[in-house]
Amino acid sequence: YYFTVKALNGAGTAAPAGDVLPVATLPQQFASGCATGVIAFNGPHGPVSVNIPAGAFSGCVQMTVTIPGTGDFPDAPSSGTPLQGTGVGIKLQLDNDPSTQPNIPITLYVPFTGIDISNSQRNQLVLARYDDVHNAWVMLRSTVDPNQNIITAQTDHLSLYRSEEHTSELQSLRH
């Protein structure tokens, strides 16, 4: 959670600038596999959601979703598609068996803000998964809702995810 704090003078008039105080958002946990479910919480960039459909896991699992800090994203190249990381993302992991992966895709909803992403960048956003075996960011088929400031993608792999912007190099390849 983030709070904006403003100083008030004796007349109750707010100072022109405020300071933002970050407060840790605790990792969110969810037991899944026994039923369908959604992990949803308010992260520092807006509402985060992970939809887990029935049959995604063969048994009951406990998943933890965390919001990594900007420095927690590996400095790695993209896997063939020119991308630039934004420093906004989520991490998904199973607590009881980290090697287990979903049998069918789960849906990720990752928010962004105007502070993180400019208006000109919004249509160029995708989610990418960090492949730690190949030390590369792998682009996922993604959609962006610029009105809700949400990037949506499906994945069948639990990992670290980051919003990425197509670079100008990719834009020239499209034309």
Side-chain angles (χ1 to χ4, degrees):
Y1 298 97
Y2 286 78
F3 299 98
T4 300
V5 178
K6 292 187 179 187
L8 300 178
N9 65 17
T13 305
D19 290 325
V20 177
L21 301 175
V23 177
T25 300
L26 298 175
Q28 302 297 306
Q29 295 185 333
F30 176 77
S32 176
C34 304
T36 61
V38 175
I39 301 173
F41 61 96
N42 285 322
H45 305 284
V48 175
S49 181
V50 179
N51 290 352
I52 305 164
F57 297 99
S58 302
C60 292
V61 297
Q62 181 156 340
M63 181 184 296
T64 299
V65 180
T66 56
I67 306 293
T70 304
D72 295 332
F73 296 105
D75 184 19
S78 56
S79 63
T81 304
L83 300 172
Q84 177 64 45
T86 65
V88 175
I90 63 173
K91 182 178 182 179
L92 308 175
Q93 65 186 35
L94 294 183
D95 298 333
N96 50 339
D97 185 1
S99 64
T100 298
Q101 298 298 331
N103 298 319
I104 58 177
I106 61 176
T107 305
L108 311 177
Y109 298 89
V110 178
F112 60 89
T113 67
I115 294 169
D116 309 313
I117 309 297
S118 71
N119 285 338
S120 63
Q121 294 172 305
R122 291 177 185 212
N123 291 331
Q124 300 168 358
L125 292 176
V126 296
L127 279 181
R129 175 181 66 83
Y130 179 65
D131 180 345
D132 57 351
V133 172
H134 297 100
N135 188 37
W137 290 96
V138 179
M139 184 175 73
L140 301 177
R141 184 181 306 260
S142 307
T143 57
V144 176
D145 181 338
N147 297 321
Q148 297 294 318
N149 293 346
I150 297 281
I151 307 168
T152 304
Q154 289 193 320
T155 184
D156 60 0
H157 193 85
L158 303 180
S159 184
L160 178 63
Y161 296 88
R162 178 172 70 179
S163 59
E164 303 269 340
E165 177 193 3
H166 292 270
T167 62
S168 59
E169 204 174 69
L170 177 61
Q171 292 302 314
S172 66
L173 292 175
R174 289 180 159 178
H175 299 293

